[in-house]
């Protein structure tokens, strides 16, 4: 019997598989049924994105596809004819938020029975999500996976035709899609994918299962995209990958992330950022490129996860705390005024008091500019999910509290160091709290609130820093 292509559920065993097969690069893949173009006329959409930058970029592409079909962006959920939740599965609370949201949307569906309600992103790649939704959440019409985005027009059309839920979630290593339309969220800052997927298989992480194998875009396609952004007047790009240092490995062209960084720096884009870098494979050449090219920003996000060698080993992180510190110190000593932030997980299964203290020691030594801290969340399908854990949730919460306190203290210390300096700030707009104050990010990726000229929005200006706080800097523009 032929497989029903509108009822394909994820399979984590298949998703965990890695081959040496060459990755297909697919250009101009979008096919839009004419009937759907008629349906979409005068209809509106909302895409709501959760999670990381890779998801944000997917959200922009999903919006681009919907606008290409003919939908226009809605101003509210109530006036939407299509609502797409683009979800994240990294921790359980991300999942819970999405299920909460699905619950809220029930009433919209009641008021507008023609509403098409879809769910995509990393949660869609999980068997547990699909079975829960298929058994309980009747208001969801369509579920599609991270590998199925280019099929969205067909899937959406089927959702209009069918009374059944449409589910299409491939579990596979994945391709590279070029030329999909997109609507970017910002006119000044842009995400640029350089690679997809992850092959590191850290034992706590779902990403390798939800996003397929590491596969790089061709440098020609990346540079073409960056040049277009320069022409459109963009001020900043962020090169995106789950682990950008692995860029090019799969292509076997002898061209790596350091080469790409330098080539991108030679375009006239004023600011280049990149995220995320695994400490493993972070080369001296990359660090020197950041130092040598003024348009590569002096900011590195360098996830530590744990400062204890036994935990690092069980996490599958491929470095020791000593190796991490060596790299950290090399970055600090090579790049002037560099800012370094990190990710740390507490409460990994059976993390002892001693292991946690080892993490605190590294935090005391590194004095990070900022840290994202999490309590370990067991993800179904990952090796750490099955690890025995006898540490109470109370102990974990206490550890997190201590860690947050320490990282806040050091972030403030680093920010106080900026007092008196003149930093270059790309102005986003009025600050959230006070419309008379402008807000933007410095080259070091520090959020700066300052008194300045409202005509500076979208531009890079000089700001004298007057005060460093734990999460922000305050200052005054000096080049109006
Ligand atoms: N539990 C808690 N935190 C996690 N992260 C990834 N997976 C988990 C998990 N299962 C954190 C890591 C990673 C960041 C993006 O999220 O610190 O760097
Ligand atoms: Fe997850 Fe590790 Fe890959 Fe990062 S490097 S996405 S933490 S598996």
């Amino acid at each position: 019997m032929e497989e029903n292509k509108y009822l394909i559920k994820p399979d984590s065993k298949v998703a965990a598989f890695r081959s040496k097969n060459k990755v297909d690069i697919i250009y101009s893949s979008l096919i839009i049924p004419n009937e759907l173009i008629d349906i979409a006329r005068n209809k509106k959409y909302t895409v709501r994105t959760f999670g990381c930058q890779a998801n944000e970029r997917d959200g922009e592409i999903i919006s681009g596809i919907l606008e290409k079909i003919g939908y226009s962006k809605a101003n509210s959920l109530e006036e939407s004819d299509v609502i797409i939740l683009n979800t994240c599965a990294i921790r359980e609370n991300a999942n819970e938020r999405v299920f909460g949201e699905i619950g809220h949307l029930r009433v919209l569906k009641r008021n507008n029975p023609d509403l098409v309600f879809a769910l995509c992103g990393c949660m869609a790649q999980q068997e547990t999500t699909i079975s829960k939704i298929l058994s309980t959440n009747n208001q969801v019409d369509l579920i599609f996976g991270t590998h199925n985005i280019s099929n969205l027009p067909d899937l959406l059309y089927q959702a209009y035709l069918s009374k059944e839920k449409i589910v299409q979630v491939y579990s596979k290593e994945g391709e590279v899609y070029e030329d999909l339309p997109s609507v970017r969220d910002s006119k000044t800052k842009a995400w640029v994918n350089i690679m997809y997927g992850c092959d590191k298989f850290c034992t706590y992480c779902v990403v390798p299962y939800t996003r397929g194998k590491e596969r790089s875009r061709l440098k020609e396609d990346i540079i073409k995209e960056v040049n277009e952004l320069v022409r459109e007047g963009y001020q900043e790009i962020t090169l995106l990958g789950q682990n950008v240092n692995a860029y090019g490995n799969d292509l076997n062209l002898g061209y790596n992330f350091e080469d790409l960084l330098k080539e991108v720096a030679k375009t006239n884009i004023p600011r280049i950022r990149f995220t995320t870098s695994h400490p493993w494979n972070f080369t001296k050449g990359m660090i020197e490129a950041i130092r040598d090219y003024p348009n590569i920003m002096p900011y590195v996000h360098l996830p530590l996860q744990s400062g204890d060698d036994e935990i690092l080993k069980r996490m599958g992180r491929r470095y020791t705390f000593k190796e991490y510190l060596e790299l950290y110190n090399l970055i600090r000593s090579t790049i002037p005024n560099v800012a370094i932030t990190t990710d740390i997980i507490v409460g990994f299964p059976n993390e002892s008091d001693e292991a946690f203290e080892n993490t605190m020691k590294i935090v005391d030594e590194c004095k990070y500019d900022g840290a994202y801290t999490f309590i370990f969340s067991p993800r179904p399908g990952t090796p750490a999910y099955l690890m025995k854990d006898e540490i109470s949730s109370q102990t974990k919460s206490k550890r997190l509290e201590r860690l947050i306190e320490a990282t806040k203290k050091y972030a403030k210390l680093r920010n106080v160091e900026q007092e008196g300096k003149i930093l270059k700030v790309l102005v986003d707009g009025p600050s959230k709290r006070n419309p008379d104050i402008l807000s933007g990010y410095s080259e070091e990726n520090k959020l700066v609130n300052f008194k300045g000229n409202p005509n500076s929005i979208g531009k890079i200006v000089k700001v004298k820093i007057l005060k460093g706080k734990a999460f922000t800097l305050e200052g005054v523009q000096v080049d109006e």
Side-chain angles (χ1 to χ4, degrees):
M1 210 178 73
E2 207 181 302
E3 189 182 28
N4 175 359
K5 65 176 180 170
Y6 303 117
L7 186 59
I8 300 179
K9 300 183 199 172
D11 180 333
S12 58
K13 286 214 180 60
V14 177
F17 180 72
R18 291 294 181 269
S19 74
K20 291 245 178 299
N21 295 347
K22 216 175 135 250
V23 170
D24 289 327
I25 303 177
I26 300 170
Y27 292 90
S28 310
S29 56
L30 208 64
I31 301 167
I32 301 176
N34 283 331
E35 297 86 341
L36 183 63
I37 295 175
D38 290 336
I39 294 172
R41 207 160 283 139
N42 300 321
K43 286 208 163 70
K44 299 199 165 158
Y45 77 91
T46 296
V47 177
R48 187 164 273 190
T49 296
F50 300 81
C52 69
Q53 292 95 336
N55 241 23
E56 297 270 347
R57 182 64 188 135
D58 282 353
E60 292 180 341
I61 288 170
I62 291 164
S63 297
I65 295 174
L66 292 171
E67 294 201 9
K68 189 99 184 177
I69 297 169
Y71 293 93
S72 56
K73 192 170 174 165
N75 293 314
S76 67
L77 286 175
E78 286 71 23
E79 69 166 37
S80 307
D81 302 287
V82 175
I83 298 176
I84 299 189
L85 293 188
N86 183 22
T87 65
C88 166
I90 197 100
R91 282 171 293 275
E92 190 54 34
N93 56 8
N95 288 43
E96 280 160 11
R97 271 184 63 199
V98 168
F99 276 108
E101 194 93 344
I102 294 174
H104 291 146
L105 293 171
R106 193 170 295 150
V107 56
L108 294 176
K109 187 90 184 174
R110 221 178 286 143
N111 296 342
N112 177 6
D114 292 334
L115 171 70
V116 174
F117 181 31
L119 186 140
C120 65
C122 285
M123 264 175 79
Q125 295 294 137
Q126 296 199 292
E127 288 141 325
T128 42
T129 314
I130 303 297
S131 52
K132 189 164 167 186
I133 290 180
L134 290 186
S135 60
T136 59
N137 290 95
N138 289 325
Q139 63 267 43
V140 179
D141 304 294
L142 162 64
I143 303 174
F144 60 100
T146 58
H147 300 292
N148 305 76
I149 293 175
S150 69
N151 294 345
L152 178 57
D154 178 44
L155 297 174
L156 198 49
Y157 181 47
Q158 295 304 322
Y160 282 108
L161 295 184
S162 164
K163 284 205 172 54
E164 304 296 318
K165 287 185 201 312
I166 303 296
V167 179
Q168 193 185 76
V169 182
Y170 297 157
S171 297
K172 58 176 178 176
E173 296 183 305
E175 300 86 9
V176 169
Y177 283 90
E178 294 294 341
D179 298 339
L180 290 177
S182 86
V183 179
R184 294 190 188 269
D185 291 336
S186 158
K187 294 267 172 280
T188 48
K189 302 201 273 194
W191 310 117
V192 176
N193 283 318
I194 63 167
M195 61 181 303
Y196 305 93
C198 183
D199 290 347
K200 295 290 174 293
F201 287 98
C202 299
T203 56
Y204 50 81
C205 188
V206 285
V207 171
Y209 309 88
T210 62
R211 291 198 166 260
K213 82 166 167 184
E214 285 179 358
R215 49 210 198 277
S216 305
R217 291 178 71 195
L218 294 180
K219 69 160 184 179
E220 292 78 8
D221 291 323
I222 299 169
I223 299 293
K224 189 172 139 218
E225 182 175 343
V226 175
N227 280 329
E228 272 161 27
L229 292 165
V230 172
R231 268 197 300 278
E232 288 167 29
Y234 276 83
Q235 298 294 308
E236 180 176 301
I237 57 165
T238 302
L239 306 176
L240 290 184
Q242 297 305 332
N243 171 22
V244 292
N245 326 357
Y247 174 79
N249 290 353
D250 56 308
L251 293 172
N252 269 327
L253 296 170
Y255 185 93
N256 59 24
F257 184 57
E258 180 188 332
D259 301 320
L260 180 71
L261 255 185
K262 290 179 183 167
E263 200 162 334
V264 172
K266 285 176 191 145
T267 68
N268 280 326
I269 194 82
R271 286 180 161 204
I272 301 157
R273 301 187 185 282
F274 57 90
T275 197
T276 293
S277 293
H278 193 296
W280 194 71
N281 257 4
F282 202 117
T283 64
K284 194 156 180 257
M286 279 165 56
I287 302 172
E288 288 168 354
I290 304 170
R291 176 194 63 195
D292 295 341
Y293 288 84
N295 57 346
I296 306 180
M297 295 298 98
Y299 167 65
V300 178
H301 183 65
L302 197 69
L304 168 69
Q305 313 299 6
S306 166
D308 181 78
D309 281 347
E310 193 258 335
I311 299 277
L312 284 171
K313 197 158 183 195
R314 283 202 286 122
M315 286 178 162
R317 290 293 288 176
R318 306 165 191 230
Y319 53 82
T320 60
F321 82 85
K322 236 172 118 198
E323 285 163 338
Y324 180 94
L325 277 181
E326 270 166 31
L327 173 64
Y328 181 93
N329 289 327
L330 186 66
I331 296 172
R332 277 255 180 244
S333 60
T334 309
I335 308 167
N337 206 38
V338 69
I340 308 180
T341 57
T342 198
D343 289 341
I344 298 171
I345 299 175
V346 301
F348 189 75
N350 278 350
E351 178 190 54
S352 64
D353 282 335
E354 191 194 338
F356 173 67
E357 294 308 328
N358 285 337
T359 297
M360 291 297 286
K361 268 189 221 151
I362 305 281
V363 168
D364 288 336
E365 184 150 351
C366 292
K367 303 182 176 57
Y368 293 103
D369 291 85
Y372 301 88
T373 52
F374 314 100
I375 291 183
F376 167 73
S377 168
R379 309 314 297 133
T382 63
Y385 183 78
L386 302 172
M387 291 181 192
K388 223 163 112 189
D389 187 13
E390 275 140 12
I391 313 293
S392 73
S393 57
Q394 227 178 357
T395 304
K396 293 182 186 189
S397 300
K398 276 203 196 117
R399 286 180 187 166
L400 183 69
E401 240 172 76
R402 260 185 73 201
L403 181 64
I404 290 175
E405 210 175 297
T407 54
K408 228 171 117 178
K409 177 177 83 187
Y410 293 124
K412 175 155 184 191
L413 194 108
R414 292 278 180 200
N415 284 347
V416 167
E417 280 172 8
Q418 305 299 323
E419 289 177 4
K421 287 186 189 165
I422 291 176
L423 301 185
K424 288 185 188 150
V425 176
L426 172 55
V427 188
D428 286 329
S431 95
K432 281 202 187 106
R433 293 215 188 128
N434 180 349
D436 299 329
I437 296 282
L438 295 173
S439 162
Y441 284 85
S442 76
E443 297 198 319
E444 302 76 12
N445 208 32
K446 290 177 183 284
L447 180 58
V448 185
N449 293 319
F450 63 99
K451 284 205 189 80
N453 182 347
N455 294 332
S456 310
I457 292 170
K459 296 184 192 145
I460 295 169
V461 301
K462 289 186 178 150
V463 175
K464 179 160 185 182
I465 304 304
L466 302 175
K467 193 170 170 57
K469 308 210 287 192
F471 300 109
T472 55
L473 301 175
E474 286 175 4
V476 56
Q477 189 173 343
V478 290
D479 62 355
E480 327 182 34

